Structures are given as C-alpha cells and as structure tokens.
Amino acid sequence: MEFYRSHVLVCGSADRKAQDMESLINEFEIKLKEQGLNNEIKVIKTGSLGLFDMEPVVIVYPEGAYYANVKKADVSEIVSEHLLKGRIVERLLYKKQTQTGPDNLDKLQFYKKQTRIAMKNCGAIDPTSIDEYLAMDGYKALEKAITTMTPSEVIEEVKNSGLRGRGGSGFPTANKWSFAASVDADQKYVICNADEGDLGAFMDRGIIEGDPHSIIEAMIIAGYAIGGTKGYIYCRIEYPLAIERFQLAIKQAQDYGLLGNNIMETGFSFDIELRLGAGAYVCGEETALIASIEGQRGEPRLKPPFPPIKGLNGKPTVLNNVETLSNIPQIILKGADWYSSYGTEKCKGTKVYALGGKIMNTGLVEVPMGTTLREIIYDIGGGIPGGKKLKGVQTSGGFVPVDKIDMPMDFDSMSSIGTMLGSGGLIVMDEDDCMVDMARFLMEFMVEESCGKCTACRIGTTRMLELLEDICEGRGKEEDIDQLYKLAGDVKKASFCGLGQFAPNPVIYTIDHFRNEYEEHINNKKCPAGHCDIN
C-alpha cells in the first residue's frame, strides 16, 4: 500500500471546463516531478463538489485548502508554495473560506447547511477507481445484504427508512420492490433510469460522474431483494462522461466478482447491461423507457399492469432513478433509523437539487427533505445577483411563487400549494424575467418532446404554444387568456402520460400568479419585464 503526505483533489463537472481539469492534472504532475514531490503527493481527479461557479476546484489535504477557479498558470505557485514550503496560497482560496482544516468544507456557506448522502462520495474519491470506492465502505452494504439479510428483510429495511422515489412522483421505493418480489416469475429485472431530461435538472449526471459504483451496488441489492438476476442502466446519450463512468464501473465490478455469477460465493447472481437513450424526453416515463429497451418506439403504455407486476419483456421489473438508488447502500449499511432521522415525518432523507438561473451560486445542493426554498436560495445559493428581487422558482414539476418560499420543500408540502417538487431542477427567476415568455419557452420544449401518441398532448400543446407566441409577439386577444387556461385543463385531464399531464402546468401557474403580465402583453402591447419584443 502506498502512503502520501498530501492529496491534491482536482474537482469539476463534465462541462466546458473539463479540458481545464485535464490540463491542471497534467501540469500538477509535471511540476511535482520537477520538485521531486511526485512520490510524496498524489493527484486525484474527482467528480464535482457541487459549486459549479468555482470550478475547476483544487483541494489540498490534509490542510483542506479550497482553491477556486484554478488555472494552469496557478499550479506552479501551489506546488512551490503550498506543497513544497507549506505556505497556503491565500490569493487562490475560495473567498468564503476563513480557515482551513480537514473538515473545513462544512464551514463554507455553500456546504454548511447541506447533508450529503446521495452525493456522499462526489468530489471526495476518484470515480474511476473501484479501490477508492471500496475504501469508502463501498460494497459493504451489498455484503451485509446478501450474507446476513433475507430478501424480505432488505425490503423491510428500505420500507422503514421511508425512502420515496426521487424521480418526481415520490412513490415509496419499498412498495415497488415488494410488488415485484411477490410475483412468481422465471425472470425479474432491475432498471436504473438515468434518462434525466427535465429542464434545469442535472442531479443524476452529477451523481453518476462522481460515484457510479454506488448505483451499481444499489442495483445488485435491489436484484437480491426482488429475486432478479438482470439489470439495465438506461442513460441518455447526451451524458458521454456518465456513460464512460458507468461502462468502467460495470467492468470493474465484474472483474472483482461483484457482478456476474455466484457473487461473494453466496449463490446469488446478477449482471448489468448499459443501454443508451436517444434523448427523447418521454423515455423518462417508465413504460416508454421499457419499450425503448425492448427495441420498440419509446411511447408510454397503458397502466395497469404496472412494471413491478409486468414490465420489461412482460416480466416483473423494478425501475428506480439514479438519486433514489444512490441512497440504498447507505440505508442498508447504516440502517433505516439513521436515514429516517433526516427529513420530515412523511418525507425522509435528503433531496438533491440542481440550482440554476438567477442565483449567485449555481450547482448541486443536497439538503434534508423539508428545507425551505428560502434557505436553498439565500443561505446556500447566496441570493439573487445584483440585489434583484426574487420573482419565483420553476421546479422540474411546477412553479413556486415568491410568497411560498418558506414552505418546506417536500412532496406533500408542494402538493398542498398546488405544485410539485419534481425531480429536483430549480430555475430561479428575478424581476427581469417575463413569466409569459417563460411559459412559452417551456411549452415549446413540451411540443418538441411530445411523442405524439395521444391527440390531447400532440394537438393541445401545439395550440397552447401558438396562443403564447401570439401574446408574446403582440397579437394576443383578451379572450386568449381564458382559452389558454381552459385548454391547459383539457390537456392535463385527457393526456395519456405524465408528459402531457404536466405540460400545461407552467401556463396554469403563470396565469394563476401573474395574470397581470398576460393582460399587459395583450391590452397595452407591453412586456412588464421589458423582455418580449412586441411590435
């Protein structure tokens, strides 16, 4: 075993800064070798720590110095001053860092209110190394499950934890598992839904890129619990790094005997295949996703029967999204009581949010269920740039007006105010945003992504978009608002699947809370926010 006196973590996400990370790592290796430190200090490329605006981030341990927006030209100074002479480079420290130390991250504004369970290893380990995952108690939950627990005990532990699906519906995870386990079948499947397609959502991407083995481990545990031997990961093709990480993690788990036949010599066998989605938003719906894996057109199917009873190839199938699965190893390893100590009475654990839009700190945030939107925006997100006023927040399942930001963020509280928590995308809007144009933009997305199977969604969303375009471009009529509202209700009631049922939500929410903006566009031919180009 090799020992190093210091570890240099280069943290970042798979965006335009990815090349910057690679150049930083190469430069560190060159400069460390020049100073004769290459055998004393290890450089590790990790996933993102969540604070995207500060990336690439370099953290030096054991000091815990958090260097932000590091450039290739800064590497020589970090090596010569900090790593050689032991003097922290103050000018490169993240401006919010007032002191260093191994546990310093918890003291930074962006992190101090966060609780990392799903993202426990993101930014802390090399996601391409199964050995680093093992060093962080990786696959211990699997060992515990298949060597000391019965399948029914595993399901009971998940049930007692209170874990609910993080894909948007909030359906109890253990219920899906128990339904599938109760069916007598010669084959059962576990599917990971990594086809994240909601606008503003990138939670699953961050988890996959930073900790792919947690998903692999959870799927094996789920397979053991329901009596399944085959798993599929369905990942959108727009996530090339996530795909690469999954492919490597699957191979490593197979090489270590953690996937395949007779896992840990228990007689239990399970294997996983990766399937790529072509970017169709509707394939985030579970039956459309299953149809796609089967090689058919990605369209939703009539339910019941539900997938846990009759899913892939007509067999019982458990389908969970990435964030849901990422909680499973920690629940099994640390217990249901530990997990359920976080969150609210009816919504246990934590929730990962993708924070974007008009906000100082964009990135990934993981907080206990029930944390208010005000805390997320102001205490963690740093507030609105330029001192602008908050107008509202578009979630991946609805809209939260500014007067409701002190409501607890959980499935039930959001439903009580007529909106949805959704999968976790949060787009913050300020006083300069036009709510009519926002509704138009979102409806344009829904029209583009409709699979066209049902008339209500195919024709209804198109007509709604036409009305919104007329209003935004100065051709709107007074009766258009009521027509839009009625049409939205009809589409919501008559659509076949969740895409069509939720597509009208932005129109309904914006008319409910910002009807005056619609009236200004129509009656005065003026956009109150000065956004729309009305002729």
Side-chain angles (χ1 to χ4, degrees), residues 156-395:
E156 189 68 15
E157 195 74 16
V158 175
K159 178 181 178 181
N160 292 337
S161 75
L163 178 65
R164 295 169 64 172
R166 297 305 197 247
S169 66
F171 189 79
T173 302
N175 287 12
K176 282 188 178 182
W177 292 21
S178 61
F179 293 154
S182 67
V183 179
D184 185 19
D186 59 353
Q187 179 63 278
K188 298 179 183 181
Y189 299 100
V190 175
I191 297 177
C192 168
N193 181 354
D195 193 57
E196 183 176 50
D198 288 331
L199 286 170
F202 43 87
M203 304 78 60
D204 292 352
R205 191 195 82 175
I207 294 171
I208 299 165
E209 291 175 0
D211 191 20
H213 279 284
S214 65
I215 311 304
I216 305 298
E217 182 175 13
M219 291 180 68
I220 305 170
I221 292 170
Y224 174 72
I226 70 168
T229 60
K230 184 71 175 180
Y232 289 94
I233 296 171
Y234 188 88
C235 187
R236 63 190 303 105
I237 201 166
E238 293 93 338
Y239 285 177
L241 183 58
I243 292 167
E244 180 184 315
R245 295 274 160 87
F246 265 143
Q247 289 172 330
L248 180 60
I250 291 170
K251 184 179 186 305
Q252 288 175 340
Q254 290 169 338
D255 291 344
Y256 275 57
L258 299 168
L259 275 176
N261 295 322
N262 194 24
I263 297 172
M264 296 183 183
E265 299 183 352
T266 60
F268 170 63
S269 300
F270 190 85
D271 218 337
I272 294 173
E273 286 186 28
L274 181 64
R275 294 291 176 89
L276 304 184
Y281 179 57
V282 73
C283 286
E285 195 277 336
E286 57 183 4
T287 60
L289 186 155
I290 287 170
S292 181
I293 291 179
E294 292 173 342
Q296 301 179 45
R297 182 182 174 89
E299 291 182 339
R301 298 171 177 174
L302 185 65
K303 294 183 287 189
F306 294 92
I309 306 301
K310 187 178 180 181
L312 182 63
N313 300 323
K315 305 295 183 180
T317 303
V318 160
L319 196 150
N320 296 124
N321 86 322
V322 167
E323 186 186 343
T324 307
L325 289 167
S326 66
N327 288 280
I328 296 297
Q330 296 301 304
I331 289 171
I332 299 301
L333 192 60
K334 297 183 179 179
D337 290 343
W338 167 81
Y339 186 80
S340 62
S341 67
Y342 297 100
T344 64
E345 183 179 353
K346 294 183 179 180
C347 297
K348 304 297 185 182
T350 60
K351 180 74 191 80
V352 180
Y353 297 101
L355 192 56
K358 304 293 184 63
I359 191 78
M360 291 292 292
N361 300 327
T362 60
L364 293 174
V365 173
E366 183 174 3
V367 291
M369 279 280 193
T371 301
T372 67
L373 198 50
R374 182 183 295 278
E375 291 176 279
I376 294 171
I377 293 172
Y378 291 99
D379 295 344
I380 298 173
I384 315 301
K388 298 283 186 177
K389 292 181 181 178
L390 175 68
K391 200 168 194 176
V393 179
Q394 174 69 38
T395 73

Side-chain angles (χ1 to χ4, degrees), residues 387-450:
K388 298 283 186 177
K389 292 181 181 178
L390 175 68
K391 200 168 194 176
V393 179
Q394 174 69 38
T395 73
S396 51
F399 179 81
V400 181
V402 68
D403 61 339
K404 300 295 184 182
I405 65 170
D406 290 309
M407 290 284 291
M409 290 284 284
D410 59 52
F411 297 111
D412 301 320
S413 297
M414 290 295 100
S415 295
S416 72
I417 62 171
T419 187
M420 289 182 61
L421 183 64
S423 62
L426 300 177
I427 302 174
V428 181
M429 291 169 285
D430 70 7
E431 60 193 89
D432 293 335
D433 287 306
C434 172
M435 304 310 290
V436 184
D437 187 59
M438 185 274 291
R440 180 206 59 78
F441 170 75
L442 294 173
M443 191 55 59
E444 189 175 51
F445 173 79
M446 295 300 180
V447 169
E448 177 71 22
E449 294 296 340
S450 175

